[in-house]
């Protein structure tokens, strides 16, 4: 869905580096989410946010942090990247219903 | 706890033949259920959603799914497969205690042969 965009689309980095993944949405949705996808495991929730002042941990938040800079922007940071954080990362947004709309994903490789 | 099981990791069909992707769920309450599709190098697109209004849910691209409470199933079907249907399909249930938490199945990869 072009209403949710993610940058970068691909990133290769080294162990110990700090990485930030950006997400923006144009629908004015209050809720935003970060997931990671690993082969054979489906998507798992990292963090989610109801609004700028409300951040919640998901299933696998260790090693990650987030920032909701504005209603439309939600960034995910890896303070010190490690190889097992190599994955496909998805951002999503939703409004008043539980339907989430996903971005195109960011493929992150940590060497 | 809520969970979703996709019974097949891979499904292969010939173009023009029916598609059946199987999903069973576990939920203490009437759940919201979704099917999402992920084409290669693309994000997840919502195919359809069940929210108790009707047990047969029609989605985009000719897909539909039937909610069967007695069987705790939400299988995805399409009468006639098209080459463009080749993708990964995810069955998803929302946590009734926190509808912001979606619980994903492990996915079914659909191959369509000419």
């Amino acid at each position: 869905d072009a209403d949710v965009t993610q940058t970068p689309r691909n990133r290769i980095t080294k162990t110990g580096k700090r990485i930030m993944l950006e997400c923006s949405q144009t629908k004015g949705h209050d809720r935003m989410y970060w997931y990671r996808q690993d082969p054979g495991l489906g998507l798992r929730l990292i963090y989610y946010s109801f609004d700028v002042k409300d951040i919640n941990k998901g299933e696998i938040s260790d090693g990650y942090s987030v920032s909701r800079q504005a209603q439309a922007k939600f960034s995910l940071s890896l303070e010190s990247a490690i190889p097992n954080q190599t994955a496909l990362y998805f951002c999503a947004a939703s409004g008043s219903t539980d339907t989430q709309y996903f971005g195109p994903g960011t493929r992150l490789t940590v060497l | 706890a809520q969970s979703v099981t996709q019974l097949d990791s891979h499904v292969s069909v010939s173009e023009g033949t029916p598609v059946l992707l199987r999903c069973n769920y576990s939920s203490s309450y009437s759940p919201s259920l979704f099917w999402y599709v992920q084409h290669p190098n693309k994000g997840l697109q919502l195919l359809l959603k069940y929210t108790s209004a009707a047990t047969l849910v029609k989605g985009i691209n000719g897909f539909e799914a039937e909610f069967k409470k007695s069987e705790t199933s939400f299988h995805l079907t399409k009468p006639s497969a098209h080459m463009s249907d080749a993708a990964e399909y995810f069955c998803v249930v929302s946590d009734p205690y926190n509808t912001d938490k979606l619980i994903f199945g492990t996915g079914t990869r659909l191959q369509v042969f000419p």
Side-chain angles (χ1 to χ4, degrees):
Chain A
D1 191 317
D3 299 318
V4 181
T5 57
Q6 294 182 233
T7 56
R9 294 294 311 279
N10 287 281
R11 182 72 183 270
I12 299 173
T13 190
K14 294 182 179 180
T15 298
K17 294 291 188 181
R18 184 178 187 276
I19 296 297
M20 180 180 286
L21 308 182
E22 307 271 8
C23 176
S24 295
Q25 52 105 354
T26 60
K27 283 293 205 181
H29 293 315
D30 290 328
R31 303 173 180 201
M32 298 186 74
Y33 312 80
W34 274 105
Y35 293 88
R36 67 176 278 175
Q37 182 182 25
D38 297 280
L41 292 179
L43 275 70
R44 293 180 291 166
L45 182 63
I46 305 173
Y47 271 97
Y48 59 108
S49 168
F50 291 147
D51 61 37
V52 174
K53 298 180 180 179
D54 190 339
I55 304 291
N56 302 277
K57 291 184 177 181
E59 180 186 358
I60 52 164
S61 59
D62 288 349
Y64 301 95
S65 62
V66 291
S67 175
R68 186 81 183 268
Q69 303 95 321
Q71 185 191 40
K73 297 184 182 296
F74 192 37
S75 59
L76 176 71
S77 294
L78 287 68
E79 296 301 324
S80 179
I82 55 177
N84 75 3
Q85 291 178 313
T86 294
L88 190 54
Y89 289 85
F90 285 102
C91 177
S94 72
S96 57
T97 69
D98 54 2
T99 300
Q100 295 184 19
Y101 299 94
F102 287 81
T106 295
R107 186 169 297 280
L108 176 66
T109 302
V110 183
L111 302 175
Chain B
Q2 278 56 242
S3 66
V4 171
T5 302
Q6 292 185 244
L7 299 168
D8 307 291
S9 59
H10 291 85
V11 170
S12 297
V13 300
S14 297
E15 190 175 22
T17 64
V19 176
L20 170 64
L21 305 183
R22 299 182 295 166
C23 173
N24 286 107
Y25 69 92
S26 171
S27 178
S28 302
Y29 296 90
S30 293
S32 290
L33 290 157
F34 309 78
W35 276 98
Y36 281 87
V37 60
Q38 183 181 24
H39 287 94
N41 300 312
K42 296 286 181 67
L44 280 79
Q45 181 183 19
L46 180 68
L47 273 180
L48 50 80
K49 173 183 177 181
Y50 165 77
T51 55
S52 78
T55 56
L56 184 62
V57 183
K58 293 188 183 299
I60 61 172
N61 301 333
F63 285 95
E64 61 183 36
E66 185 171 9
F67 174 73
K68 291 187 176 180
K69 186 175 181 178
S70 61
E71 298 177 10
T72 60
S73 68
F74 190 57
H75 301 333
L76 182 70
T77 60
K78 183 174 181 177
S80 176
H82 192 274
M83 295 296 291
S84 61
D85 294 328
E88 185 107 21
Y89 292 79
F90 292 95
C91 183
V92 182
V93 63
S94 66
D95 186 332
Y97 300 103
N98 183 350
T99 55
D100 288 281
K101 291 189 176 181
L102 297 184
I103 299 153
F104 283 76
T106 53
T108 298
R109 182 165 298 277
L110 176 64
Q111 284 186 302
V112 182
F113 295 104

